[in-house]
Amino acid sequence: MRKALLAASALASVTLAPLTSARAEVFDTAAIIELIRNTVAGFTQTANYLKGQIAAQQQIADGSNTAMARFQRNVRSAQIRDEHIATPAACESLDNGQAITVGVGQSWIVATSLTAVANRRREAGPDTPAWHGEGQAAADRARLHRNRYCSELEAAEGVCQLTDRPNGDVRSASMTGGLSYGPRPENINAAIDFSIMALQPVPLRALRGDELRAAQSQDIKLWRDRYLANMSLAQDVHTRYIARRAETVTLTPAQRAQQQAQGLVVTERGSWLQTAELEVNRRMSGRAWNAAIWRMPPASVLREMASMQALGLHLQLESLRVQEDVANTNAALLAARVESDTGRPQDAFKRLTTLPTPQVR
């Protein structure tokens, strides 16, 4: 490069400065040709350098573009992976939802079993106390109270021995005092006993013998059946209420963690109502779930919102079932009110006490 510049300077000096005849003799034709050749070679080398620089810059640009494209592809791949891989929060929501669904099915099984037992008692079926008369039914209820729910006053009077659940069959907390009755059978028994005491402590005795065959007893049987139907409707409302609190489902690790966070006793099993409330509270106040929401990509947040909507639909369905119970009981009350207004004999079943007691063969 330096040689080319010197040659160019020399050529410029030769061409621009006027040459004297003496000095012109120094510069012969061969020297001038060599000078020109060197000058041309210098400019050619400079051009080659420029072309090499441009090629290098192109390679650098190509390499940078390729690296950036790979980086953007990796970023997008990571986004797709994060959006399509189930997050721990999504897995917990699915497990908890399955536990709630199982709890619903199991609670209906419990309700069906309780209803079958209640129907035999209410209808005074064979091998039930009311089969032998209302006196037997009243005595059986009194005996159960003394054995399970003897109060301080009764114990002081020497009627019975004080129990660990005094007056449990007449206190609503036995049925409404918690979200789950727990593993102790006596808890759910207390709920059932309170329901019986609140609705029908002593069922009507069975109609037997001539009371069923005689033509004059058909009116009595009609109104007795009407009474039993209304009692069955009322009892079913309580039965489903109890079944929703029966311990029927195994809690998930997330639900047990929520129990601990709420300061509750951590249990292995729970009721449908308990699992539903734990799931709602986990989303409402659970630190782990809320922290996970902040770290989730948008797609995972949308899926979690869909899970919450599904939980809301489930709770709305249960609310619809409760409203149906309310509507059914209101319909029964309306029918009774209409009959009362029209003077129908609402207390016809009371005439059962005027009939002779049949002989048991």
Side-chain angles (χ1 to χ4, degrees), residues 251-268:
L251 300 182
T252 66
Q255 291 168 339
R256 291 195 293 270
Q258 182 62 29
Q259 280 183 319
Q260 186 175 8
Q262 292 181 212
L264 304 175
V265 178
V266 179
T267 59
E268 291 293 328

Side-chain angles (χ1 to χ4, degrees), residues 118-126 128-138 196 199-208 211 219-232 346-354:
N119 286 340
R120 285 182 54 81
R121 175 190 174 276
R122 180 176 52 254
E123 296 169 7
T128 62
W131 172 257
H132 301 287
E134 295 178 8
Q136 291 286 342
I196 291 174
L199 298 179
Q200 190 187 30
V202 179
L204 297 177
R205 65 176 177 85
L207 295 179
R208 302 164 65 183
E211 293 175 336
D219 181 63
I220 296 174
K221 185 179 185 307
L222 174 65
W223 288 104
R224 182 180 186 277
D225 290 345
R226 164 68 186 281
Y227 168 81
L228 293 178
N230 287 337
M231 282 295 175
S232 178
Q346 287 284 353
D347 59 343
F349 61 88
K350 294 181 180 179
R351 285 180 286 171
L352 288 170
T353 56
T354 64

Side-chain angles (χ1 to χ4, degrees), residues 316-332:
Q316 290 177 9
L317 177 61
E318 290 301 315
S319 177
L320 173 63
R321 291 171 176 169
V322 173
Q323 292 174 13
E324 288 179 338
D325 288 340
V326 174
N328 289 334
T329 53
N330 286 339

Side-chain angles (χ1 to χ4, degrees), residues 31-111:
I32 293 174
I33 292 174
E34 179 67 19
L35 183 60
I36 293 174
R37 187 181 66 78
N38 291 333
T39 302
V40 173
F43 281 108
T44 301
Q45 185 66 28
T46 302
N48 291 336
Y49 287 153
L50 292 175
K51 289 191 292 182
Q53 183 180 8
I54 293 174
Q57 291 176 350
Q58 289 177 344
Q59 292 178 357
I60 293 173
D62 291 341
S64 176
N65 291 337
T66 301
M68 185 57 67
R70 289 177 179 174
F71 172 75
Q72 295 293 344
R73 182 192 62 187
N74 293 338
V75 170
R76 182 54 184 162
S77 297
Q79 291 176 346
I80 295 174
R81 178 201 62 198
D82 293 340
E83 291 177 353
H84 289 81
I85 292 179
T87 62
C91 295
E92 290 178 352
S93 299
L94 180 60
D95 291 341
N96 294 347
Q98 290 177 341
I100 294 173
T101 303
V102 171
V104 171
Q106 294 298 318
S107 67
W108 280 100
I109 295 175
V110 172

